[in-house]
Amino acid sequence: MSSRRDFMGMALGGFTALGGIGALMAMKKTWDPLPSVKAAGFTTIDLKDAQENVLVTEKWRGKPIFVLKQSKEMVEKAKKSDELKRLINIGDEYYMVAVGLCTHLGCIPGYDSSKQGFLCACHGGQYDGTAMVTKAPPPRGLDIPPFKIDGTKLVLGEEGPEYKKMLADGTTMKV
Amino acid sequence: MAHFEKAKSLNEWLDQRIGINTLKKVMQSEYWIPKNINFLWAMGMVLAATFGILLVSGIFLLMYYNPSTDLAFDSVNYTIMTEVGYGWLWRHIHGVGASLVFLIIYIHMFTGIYYGSYKKGRELIWISGMLLFVLFSAEAFSGYMLPWGQMSYWAGMVITNLFSGGSLHADGLVEWIRGDYVPAQAFLSRFFMLHVLLMPLAIIGAIVFHFGTLRLPHVNNQDGKEIDFEESARLWKEGTTESRRKSEVIPFSPVFLSKDVFVMGVYFILFFYLVFYHFEFAMDPVNFDPANGLKTPTHIYPEWYFLWSYEILRPFPTDPGLVAFAIAQVIFFTLPFLDMSPNVAPANKRGAFHIWFWLMLIDMLVLTFMGKLPPEGIWSTIGLVAAITFFVLWISLPIITKLEKKL
């Protein structure tokens, strides 16, 4: 008699658990970003008109993208500190392109062109002209978005060979 | 079918059907509160009343608020504030109430810590109270998103980024929480749902649980004295002036409640003074700029009640900062178990614990002030020292309470 009750209890419990897990999965999926949100993930920017040491802010996936054309002096500085690898080289010019969100907690750092560096007002983090971190708390330089070079244009969201190389040697991480 | 006599009064009619007299006894007339208490014992009912006011003002705000990223800002700052009759009143009550509810929560918590009201059978009162603190924090944060101003947006950005876990880079989790790469429509809608439905439901449930945990161990008293509730209840129920004088307890309702109502009266004078004359303290001016994902405000800081834990996050590098922050959020839950002393007594009778209590209170005030100041120069240093002190105090708690003399 008791074994029959046990069986019914376990059967009921088992099917309830199964339904519960199914419901949880549905709830998880409901909270996922919508396909339309994920699909709108590509932006093309033109670097032709960028001016040296003037910060331009573009937008990609709702996030600000910093574009900073490097002056000769800035390129020299980057060579010395071994940060040339962070820059995108097109012809003779070097560009810093990065997601403009502090790698600490995602505030937007401000650019000071006289100091050629970024300061994040939230928690005092600092970055140099190649967006490499120079003062904590940020754990690393600004992340570089996936890009593909197309003449003087960059397609953000697509992974070109130059970007894959940056990923491979640890210059940036996946955003 | 059960047997029912014809009732002679409405009360009897209800008593036959839902046992209303038993309910009244259990919840009111025979729920005993010690006489030896002071105004700090009224904070629980002050909190309940404030929650009630938040609920009512929230219902009226909900009638005109529009949870869309295009319309939210105007529905609050234009429609509710200028068009809706007395819309400003509900908004200012809601804003001031949200701020004051935390002030009273902190007073309520530190009262409990001072008098040792979390020990020997009262552990669940403390734990359910801390659960309420966490739920109120989530309720406050989700509500802060709704006006969709600059502080809403950037607080949403920064706080959801905490869930990436620093070097763990759980960006997928952050995007899952937001429903987008950045806080956008999906984010606003779901936080609206959390604020007006899920969190309030959870809070109401937790309040019922919190009251339930009180019923058997009863509230503490000013001396931490163990009271013979049965004997004192018998003396009270005997009903003579002499026996009631000898009894150490009073019934919750109407006697204790009438004391509570007096304290509430004083509290609501302050409350409505702030609502009518100084509501701006609960309204950050930066949040009167509409949300802009391409511009961070110069200083991002939370409302005053989160500043202490924010300042524990700030002075450290990302990973240790996150760990410190996470510990700070839950460490108060462990108080009944880290306090190893068997004494249930006010802090001033407990030697080293007395010093610990005041150091903790002062340290949290220092953290609060430093959290508001920009993270530069001397302020950074003071913040770091205060954050380290916070952990040193918690580590020292089991040691000093273990060494405490038994009273």
Side-chain angles (χ1 to χ4, degrees):
Chain A
M1 214 37 206
S2 91
S3 72
R4 195 170 150 218
R5 283 198 178 167
D6 285 350
F7 170 76
M8 284 171 66
M10 282 189 287
L12 179 64
F15 277 103
T16 311
L18 216 60
I21 292 167
L24 278 178
M25 272 167 57
M27 289 173 193
K28 189 264 167 196
K29 283 277 185 193
T30 303
W31 275 65
D32 274 347
L34 299 178
S36 56
V37 168
K38 294 223 127 178
F42 300 92
T43 308
T44 304
I45 56 174
D46 198 340
L47 299 176
K48 183 168 80 230
D49 299 326
Q51 287 170 22
E52 285 180 8
N53 199 19
V54 177
L55 184 76
V56 181
T57 307
E58 305 275 354
K59 200 170 164 183
W60 169 72
R61 294 187 182 172
K63 293 171 185 171
I65 298 295
F66 287 163
V67 179
L68 183 65
K69 188 176 177 181
Q70 308 276 307
S71 65
K72 291 279 164 297
E73 173 201 352
M74 290 164 82
V75 173
E76 284 309 311
K77 220 163 84 183
K79 270 183 192 156
K80 251 184 244 154
S81 55
D82 193 30
E83 267 146 29
L84 208 59
K85 59 180 191 288
R86 291 185 56 83
L87 302 174
I88 296 175
N89 177 220
I90 297 177
D92 296 337
E93 303 296 346
Y94 285 89
Y95 301 89
M96 183 281 283
V97 177
V99 177
L101 296 174
C102 184
T103 50
H104 181 222
L105 288 174
C107 298
I108 302 180
Y111 186 63
D112 184 341
S113 57
S114 63
K115 289 182 187 157
Q116 296 171 353
F118 294 89
L119 168 70
C120 181
C122 291
H123 306 96
Q126 288 176 19
Y127 304 86
D128 65 14
T130 70
M132 190 58 202
V133 64
T134 51
K135 180 175 176 278
R140 61 183 188 281
L142 296 183
D143 294 325
I144 298 164
F147 65 89
K148 205 183 111 196
I149 300 174
D150 177 15
T152 59
K153 288 182 189 144
L154 285 187
V155 184
L156 299 180
E158 214 172 308
E159 298 189 2
E162 292 84 357
Y163 174 73
K164 282 188 180 141
K165 189 168 163 287
M166 284 182 176
L167 269 187
D169 67 13
T171 307
T172 185
M173 49 181 308
K174 251 192 153 77
V175 197
Chain B
M1 180 72 197
H3 179 70
F4 278 79
E5 296 278 337
K6 188 168 166 49
K8 291 186 189 70
S9 66
L10 178 62
N11 191 72
E12 199 184 329
W13 191 86
L14 285 170
D15 193 42
Q16 287 169 342
R17 283 156 184 80
I18 52 168
I20 194 169
N21 287 345
T22 315
L23 199 69
K24 272 196 223 160
K25 270 189 195 170
V26 172
M27 311 262 283
Q28 303 185 343
S29 61
E30 292 185 19
Y31 169 30
W32 306 105
I33 307 287
K35 283 179 181 170
N36 182 21
I37 53 174
N38 59 41
F39 77 99
L40 290 167
W41 268 254
M43 294 307 146
M45 289 318 287
V46 168
L47 280 171
T50 310
F51 180 66
I53 283 191
L54 282 166
L55 207 61
V56 171
S57 55
I59 285 169
F60 285 95
L61 291 172
L62 189 51
M63 289 167 60
Y64 291 95
Y65 175 73
N66 197 327
S68 125
T69 49
D70 294 332
L71 301 170
F73 186 83
D74 283 343
S75 74
V76 175
N77 289 300
Y78 177 72
T79 311
I80 290 174
M81 288 305 286
T82 66
E83 280 199 302
V84 177
Y86 288 93
W88 57 269
L89 178 67
W90 306 120
R91 188 190 187 194
H92 290 166
I93 287 178
H94 209 68
V96 168
S99 206
L100 285 188
V101 89
F102 277 93
L103 176 69
I104 307 298
I105 286 175
Y106 284 128
I107 295 175
H108 196 55
M109 275 173 70
F110 274 94
T111 304
I113 300 176
Y114 189 88
Y115 290 100
S117 311
Y118 48 86
K119 304 209 266 188
K120 280 196 179 168
R122 297 200 177 93
E123 295 87 351
L124 273 181
I125 306 176
W126 179 262
I127 291 168
S128 60
M130 280 308 300
L131 179 68
L132 274 168
F133 175 76
V134 171
L135 291 173
F136 266 95
S137 300
E139 177 69 353
F141 173 73
S142 56
Y144 199 66
M145 300 299 103
L146 303 188
W148 209 239
Q150 272 290 68
M151 273 298 188
S152 304
Y153 184 91
W154 287 100
M157 177 76 104
V158 170
I159 299 296
T160 47
N161 264 341
L162 291 176
F163 289 90
S164 71
S167 295
L168 295 177
H169 292 294
D171 297 330
L173 176 63
V174 175
E175 280 160 22
W176 182 74
I177 292 171
R178 291 176 184 159
D180 202 332
Y181 301 107
V182 288
Q185 184 58 57
F187 173 88
L188 181 61
S189 308
R190 62 186 57 178
F191 275 77
F192 173 67
M193 175 281 289
L194 288 175
H195 186 71
V196 304
L197 182 64
L198 192 55
M199 285 301 139
L201 274 183
I203 285 174
I204 291 168
I207 289 175
V208 171
F209 180 50
H210 194 52
F211 285 179
T213 59
L214 265 170
R215 192 61 182 75
L216 294 182
H218 290 89
V219 297
N220 196 7
N221 55 75
Q222 283 194 95
D223 298 315
K225 190 183 163 201
E226 216 173 288
I227 292 174
D228 184 346
F229 279 93
E230 275 172 35
E231 172 60 12
S232 273
R234 191 189 62 76
L235 283 168
W236 179 273
K237 284 198 280 188
E238 220 175 271
T240 64
T241 317
E242 187 55 29
S243 70
R244 286 196 169 181
R245 191 172 292 147
K246 263 200 271 177
S247 171
E248 290 183 273
V249 298
I250 48 173
F252 174 81
S253 173
V255 186
F256 174 67
L257 215 50
S258 62
K259 289 169 182 266
D260 270 358
V261 167
F262 174 77
V263 179
M264 270 185 231
V266 175
Y267 165 74
F268 279 122
I269 291 173
L270 168 75
F271 187 99
F272 283 104
Y273 168 74
L274 291 172
V275 166
F276 290 118
Y277 299 103
H278 278 295
F279 53 84
E280 79 283 352
F281 90 96
M283 308 265 159
D284 197 293
V286 181
N287 219 23
F288 286 87
D289 290 328
N292 179 354
L294 295 184
K295 186 169 159 270
T296 322
T298 340
H299 292 299
I300 296 185
Y301 41 78
E303 288 291 284
W304 69 267
Y305 39 84
F306 291 143
L307 285 170
W308 69 271
S309 59
Y310 179 69
E311 186 57 24
I312 284 174
L313 169 77
R314 206 165 63 160
F316 301 110
T318 313
D319 286 346
L322 277 174
V323 172
F325 182 73
I327 294 174
Q329 299 308 307
V330 295
I331 192 76
F332 277 92
F333 275 100
T334 64
L335 181 63
F337 311 103
L338 290 184
D339 184 341
M340 314 284 267
S341 156
N343 298 328
V344 180
N348 64 356
K349 291 191 184 142
R350 292 183 56 194
F353 181 80
H354 193 209
I355 301 165
W356 186 92
F357 173 86
W358 288 109
L359 281 179
M360 179 56 83
L361 187 63
I362 292 165
D363 192 52
M364 287 183 71
L365 288 173
V366 171
L367 284 168
T368 300
F369 282 107
M370 291 308 124
K372 186 83 186 193
L373 295 167
E376 290 152 11
I378 184 78
W379 308 127
S380 280
T381 317
I382 297 176
L384 180 65
V385 172
I388 292 169
T389 307
F390 182 82
F391 289 103
V392 171
L393 282 172
W394 279 104
I395 293 165
S396 67
L397 181 64
I399 303 160
I400 63 164
T401 49
K402 191 94 198 169
L403 297 174
E404 191 175 311
K405 261 199 300 226
K406 185 152 170 39
L407 291 173

